[in-house]
Amino acid sequence: MNGQKVIRRLLSTNSRFNALQTPRATDSTDVLIVGAGPAGLAAAIRIKQLKSDLRVVVLEKGGEIGSHILSGCVLEPTALYDLLGKDLSTYSSKYGCGEPPLGVKAGKSEMVWLTGDTRSMIPGQRAIRIPHPPQMNNKGNYIISLSAFTRWLGRVAEEHYGVEVYPGFAGAGLVYSDESTEESPWVEWAGKWGKQVTGVNLPPDTQHPRVPRVLGVLTNDVGISKSYTPNSTYTPGLFFQSKLTLLAEGAHGSLSKSIIAKFSLRKESEPQTYGFGIKEVWSVNEGHIPGKIIHTLGFPLDKNTYGGGWIYHMDNNLISLGLVVGVDWENPYKSPYKDFQIMKHHPFIRSLLEPSTSTRLAYGARTLTEGGLQSLPLLHFPGGALIGDSAGTVNVAKIKGVHTAMGTGILAANAVSEALSSNSNSLSTYTSSFLNSPIHSELYSIRNLRPSFHFPSFTKHHLGVLGGILYSGIDSLFLKGRTPWTFKHTQNEEERKQSVDNAPSLDSLRTKPTSVTNPIQYPPFEPPLSTDLLTSLSLTDTFHEEDQPEHLRLLTLPEAKIGVKLSEIRLEDEGEEESPSTSTSTSTPDSQPQPSQSQHRQNHVRINLSHYAGLLERACPAGVYEYVEDTSSPSPPSQNEIENHSEESEDENKSSWKNKKLVINAQNCIHCKLCDIKVPSQDITWSVPEGGGGPKYTIT
């Protein structure tokens, strides 16, 4: 399949409608930032602080600033102080946006081990207090709603600094220059990045061919139906042309994933590994201690699954409660959603959430990066850079990433100011400044903690978590990261090369087939303490326009990497008609129907049902994926037909397998991106829906 046809699929086109050839408007800006989260907004503010005359545009796929922000957040305010000043009492008068919503100061912290049987999923009766790692010291920190904080920071950016923030504008695709005239981002960094940062020591490349430059971003078209035809509300997306582009999409963003593969930014890094967090906010009337912080280990996770829970006592009698599970979990029968719900059955947590005095107010889920320093890609590319969780700067030991995300945004902004002053489109100085920053020092000191939870000598005895706790305790208390070794997430160089561009993802490779795992029998829910998934989903206020192409695309791996050149889009000033472009010819590659979509679906169903028991049905926190009976198919095969079944004999025009088909309820999606990372067949690509679609988080 050729490149242009692929990107046209990602931009909602088919054989009768060519969106790329529909004239679209261009908006030029000095700096374009994709993502109005803490990293993107911090970058925008710092750029305007340095050069107030620059035009800075921030695109945000959520309908409002903060509506797609979710975190169990204890904020370390160092980056906030760097950005806006240390005296919080002056913020309201200085910036004119009211007091910052910093919730409550962090108080007493503790860590407990929850007992329970992870085979029967029955909680125990004890919560054993264990030593708190020194990285989790929260003196001077704040327990906040990150969604509320981001909304406030957005107001500061817009109202005080004049940053242009456009909610409801989703960055759908990157636009590259037609000619490869730019210096490779690896010039002067080949060999150096692996040696000084990630610990992946390879012979440096000596050949650095010229590459194209990022010119900006296309926003998503609006008003295209499920059948890929324009309706009465059709509006082509804009081409935001920029001198420099910063990607601040968060974990596993679609543009970030594409750019990392395009320029091989992770060729001297370990693959990224992820965590998956599920969160609720409860209003409680008893047992609330403002500022109290509790982290949990043990139940409901088995001793080979990395992860743990949190209970943060916020202001206004609110409790933030959640569970993070390492996405490299092994058992395909695992349901992180049910794990979290059953965690609340433990007496230690049940006592806080007494239904007669407590009310659940919010629910949400998202992925987060856990690979640390080893998994960082080279941070700059021709025409831009990766910041925040698009790069992957979460400090797993601290369970914090906001201060590092904002910090990278500030570093990138400094480099942007220098580059534009010298008419350069290279942000290599941002990467250099990162190496000399406290963020790098922080990530370096804890680099070995996360991979220590997968020592083979422990995991083969199902004791991976205990091995990780033992090593992490020694490293944190005594070694403090000052070791000559750097642990890897991969088992060997072959595995690293295989998954370095998430094709396939390392976490998907860690999933074991059903032939060597056992089903998990979860206890029933106990409403209102624990509820079915759709009841929880209703708390997210998720909405997508139903008559639009599915943004969860069943694509093969190479298709998800392709970008679009400037010459492949048509702009309004080229003098073309402004009506949607159509084509009836079937003689050219660009207008042919997409090949073998039925076969793609059939293969997906076959792999995921026959070997992984339909993992996505249990993994997805929003009920997006279902494997259902195909009522259009003939009757189920007989036992003799099954025994003599040949995979090659399947009808290529059928999308079902053994009378089962995949149903994607895209309207339920809360944009966590877990499916893209974890699906064993690695054929689901998360792309942006129409701008404004998705959850509407407010107190998360």
Side-chain angles (χ1 to χ4, degrees):
M1 180 178 290
N2 70 37
Q4 185 166 334
K5 185 157 55 175
V6 170
I7 192 63
R8 287 167 64 226
R9 284 182 62 187
L10 293 175
L11 294 171
S12 304
T13 70
N14 79 340
S15 59
R16 293 187 296 113
F17 175 54
N18 187 343
L20 287 175
Q21 291 305 306
T22 299
R24 60 187 65 231
T26 301
D27 194 358
S28 296
T29 182
D30 294 304
V31 184
L32 178 66
I33 300 172
V34 182
L41 292 172
I45 289 171
R46 176 51 56 90
I47 291 169
K48 295 293 279 188
Q49 288 173 341
L50 295 172
K51 288 186 174 295
S52 60
D53 58 326
L54 292 179
R55 186 184 182 208
V56 180
V57 170
V58 181
L59 304 182
E60 168 54 40
K61 66 183 176 66
E64 299 176 1
I65 299 175
S67 64
H68 288 183
I69 298 293
L70 176 128
S71 173
C73 189
V74 177
L75 176 69
E76 185 173 313
T78 50
L80 177 64
Y81 294 159
D82 185 9
L83 186 68
L84 299 179
K86 291 186 177 181
D87 191 349
L88 297 175
S89 65
T90 65
Y91 282 13
S92 180
S93 58
K94 187 174 182 179
Y95 301 110
C97 297
E99 296 291 334
L102 293 182
V104 61
K105 281 190 175 182
K108 180 182 178 182
S109 296
E110 61 184 54
M111 177 170 280
V112 299
W113 182 279
L114 301 180
T115 62
D117 187 339
T118 56
R119 289 170 296 183
S120 63
M121 296 306 291
I122 302 298
Q125 297 297 312
R126 301 180 64 194
I128 303 169
R129 278 157 178 82
I130 57 178
H132 218 293
Q135 293 91 349
M136 290 185 178
N137 176 24
N138 285 297
K139 183 178 180 180
N141 296 339
Y142 295 85
I143 302 175
I144 67 169
S145 159
L146 188 58
S147 175
F149 174 77
T150 303
R151 281 196 302 276
W152 176 84
L153 196 63
R155 287 189 60 196
V156 173
E158 287 186 289
E159 298 175 20
H160 185 77
Y161 286 104
V163 175
E164 299 174 44
V165 184
Y166 296 126
F169 281 71
L174 292 160
V175 179
Y176 300 99
S177 60
D178 292 332
E179 302 298 328
S180 296
T181 59
E182 302 297 319
E183 190 173 73
S184 166
W186 284 102
V187 171
E188 297 183 3
W189 288 97
K192 179 180 178 181
W193 187 251
K195 184 177 181 179
Q196 295 189 10
V197 181
T198 66
V200 178
N201 293 313
L202 300 172
D205 288 340
T206 57
Q207 300 296 320
H208 300 293
R210 292 280 173 168
V211 295
R213 176 167 69 92
V214 171
L215 299 179
V217 168
L218 292 175
T219 63
N220 223 350
D221 296 347
V222 176
I224 298 179
S225 69
K226 278 183 178 289
S227 60
Y228 293 88
T229 56
N231 58 34
S232 60
T233 64
Y234 173 72
T235 305
L238 298 174
F239 169 35
F240 279 93
Q241 188 170 24
S242 58
K243 297 176 182 176
L244 290 169
T245 301
L246 301 180
L247 298 184
E249 301 174 287
H252 208 66
S254 52
L255 302 187
S256 304
K257 183 175 68 169
S258 174
I259 206 89
I260 289 171
K262 175 78 173 179
F263 294 112
S264 300
L265 299 181
R266 200 172 266 131
K267 70 178 181 180
E268 293 188 8
S269 308
E270 285 282 291
Q272 187 59 264
T273 185
Y274 296 86
F276 179 58
I278 302 180
K279 173 182 180 176
E280 292 177 352
V281 177
W282 287 68
S283 174
V284 300
N285 292 325
E286 297 180 3
H288 184 260
I289 305 174
K292 186 174 182 180
I293 294 172
I294 302 172
H295 292 109
T296 74
L297 293 173
F299 186 84
L301 302 180
D302 64 74
K303 293 182 178 63
N304 253 13
T305 300
Y306 180 83
W310 78 82
I311 306 166
Y312 298 158
H313 292 245
M314 305 168 70
D315 57 350
N316 301 320
N317 283 352
L318 298 180
I319 284 181
S320 167
L321 173 77
L323 176 70
V324 173
V325 182
V327 179
D328 55 359
W329 77 76
E330 298 172 339
N331 193 333
Y333 292 105
K334 173 175 284 295
S335 166
Y337 176 81
K338 289 184 178 179
D339 286 339
F340 174 52
Q341 296 301 313
I342 300 308
M343 184 180 84
K344 293 183 290 181
H345 292 185
H346 195 284
F348 182 77
I349 298 175
R350 185 191 292 267
S351 62
L352 289 173
L353 306 178
E354 172 58 44
S356 63
T357 58
S358 305
T359 304
R360 185 173 60 162
L361 303 178
Y363 163 81
R366 59 162 290 192
T367 53
L368 58 149
T369 57
E370 290 187 344
L373 200 66
Q374 293 93 317
S375 299
L376 281 182
L378 191 67
L379 299 179
H380 66 281
F381 52 83
L386 299 161
I387 61 176
D389 227 11
S390 280
T393 56
V394 171
N395 184 322
V396 176
K398 286 185 175 182
I399 320 179
K400 294 177 180 64
V402 177
H403 69 292
T404 54
M406 294 179 66
T408 56
I410 292 169
L411 292 176
N414 295 337
V416 166
S417 175
E418 294 176 14
L420 293 182
S421 295
S422 59
N423 293 317
S424 171
N425 55 45
S426 172
L427 293 181
S428 179
T429 55
Y430 159 53
T431 306
S432 298
S433 66
F434 169 80
L435 293 184
N436 298 310
S437 72
I439 303 171
H440 174 266
S441 300
E442 187 176 311
L443 295 180
Y444 180 82
S445 69
I446 56 96
R447 69 193 184 284
N448 286 326
L449 303 193
R450 175 64 173 92
S452 73
F453 283 77
H454 287 287
F455 286 146
S457 56
F458 283 90
T459 56
K460 71 179 180 180
H461 297 295
H462 302 284
L463 296 172
V465 170
L466 297 182
I469 291 174
L470 178 63
Y471 177 84
S472 296
I474 295 172
D475 196 318
S476 298
L477 294 173
F478 304 108
L479 303 178
K480 301 187 184 300
R482 297 188 294 266
T483 61
W485 58 79
T486 295
F487 296 148
K488 300 183 183 301
H489 299 297
T490 52
Q491 297 174 354
N492 49 54
E493 178 62 10
E494 181 182 356
E495 185 178 66
R496 189 196 73 84
K497 288 182 177 180
Q498 181 184 12
S499 55
V500 72
D501 284 329
N502 285 299
S505 74
L506 180 63
D507 292 333
S508 71
L509 293 177
R510 293 287 182 261
T511 312
K512 294 183 177 180
T514 53
S515 59
V516 295
T517 52
N518 296 315
I520 300 173
Q521 301 299 324
Y522 288 95
F525 299 122
E526 298 179 18
L529 177 65
S530 57
T531 67
D532 65 89
L533 191 149
L534 292 182
T535 299
S536 296
L537 181 64
S538 66
L539 296 173
T540 66
D541 289 331
T542 295
F543 174 80
H544 294 91
E545 175 60 50
E546 290 202 25
D547 190 19
Q548 65 170 302
E550 291 174 347
H551 65 281
L552 301 154
R553 311 292 175 81
L554 200 62
L555 299 175
T556 57
L557 289 172
E559 297 175 16
K561 298 181 183 179
I562 307 299
V564 60
K565 294 181 179 180
L566 180 62
S567 60
E568 295 173 347
I569 59 176
R570 181 153 295 164
L571 307 177
E572 285 184 354
D573 60 7
E574 293 178 0
E576 297 293 332
E577 70 280 359
E578 296 192 24
S579 60
S581 174
T582 60
S583 174
T584 57
S585 169
T586 59
S587 60
T588 65
D590 292 336
S591 62
Q592 290 175 358
Q594 306 304 326
S596 303
Q597 271 301 295
S598 293
Q599 190 65 27
H600 280 329
R601 284 190 172 250
Q602 186 185 95
N603 288 338
H604 172 94
V605 176
R606 174 179 56 80
I607 294 169
N608 287 280
L609 286 186
S610 64
H611 299 296
Y612 302 98
L615 175 147
L616 282 181
E617 278 191 311
R618 290 176 295 279
C620 176
V624 170
Y625 299 95
E626 296 179 277
Y627 298 97
V628 302
E629 295 292 330
D630 185 358
T631 56
S632 64
S633 297
S635 58
S638 65
Q639 185 61 36
N640 182 60
E641 289 173 321
I642 292 175
E643 292 173 355
N644 294 292
H645 171 75
S646 170
E647 294 177 356
E648 287 77 14
S649 66
E650 290 284 357
D651 181 357
E652 291 193 3
N653 293 319
K654 288 173 54 181
S655 60
S656 61
W657 179 79
K658 291 188 178 180
N659 212 37
K660 290 285 188 178
K661 68 177 181 179
L662 170 68
V663 173
I664 301 178
N665 302 305
Q667 70 277 7
N668 288 3
C669 180
I670 56 176
H671 299 197
C672 74
K673 303 169 190 160
L674 177 65
C675 56
D676 191 317
I677 301 167
K678 187 62 176 176
V679 63
S681 53
Q682 286 292 276
D683 51 5
I684 297 289
T685 292
W686 188 95
S687 59
V688 292
E690 286 190 4
K696 293 180 176 59
Y697 298 135
T698 57
I699 58 173
T700 55

